Amino acid sequence: MSGGIFHASLSAAECAFIYELCVAAGFMIVNPSGDPTFLVPQRNHAPEDLPELDDAAWVESPAELLQALTGSFDEFRAYRNKVLSQYPGRPH
């Protein structure tokens, strides 16, 4: 199943709605603009489910989703890797 929100302005409220919908339905977010292309809310997909790990972000909140989509993904990735490095076996 797929869907699209082509008119989204990526407000905090829209990101909260999208995040909660994806968590409830088990959806992964595919960002056609890329950087990142794949966003995984609440780890509802395993790393092996993704076609490209280097272009993926695991987000744990609507705020992280908003940051990944609107902020500098390189900054987000560095922060994410720093946090995840504390937990062996977690995808980076």
Side-chain angles (χ1 to χ4, degrees), residues 3-28:
I5 299 179
F6 305 107
H7 64 282
S9 61
L10 295 177
S11 68
E14 286 174 333
C15 281
F17 171 77
I18 293 166
Y19 181 85
E20 296 301 332
L21 173 66
C22 290
V23 167
F27 291 160
M28 172 177 51

Side-chain angles (χ1 to χ4, degrees), residues 28-31 36-40 45-58:
M28 172 177 51
I29 299 166
V30 178
N31 175 17
T37 300
F38 307 100
L39 296 109
V40 182
H45 286 72
E48 55 270 11
D49 294 335
L50 303 176
E52 180 61 51
L53 285 177
D54 289 337
D55 198 17
W58 279 260

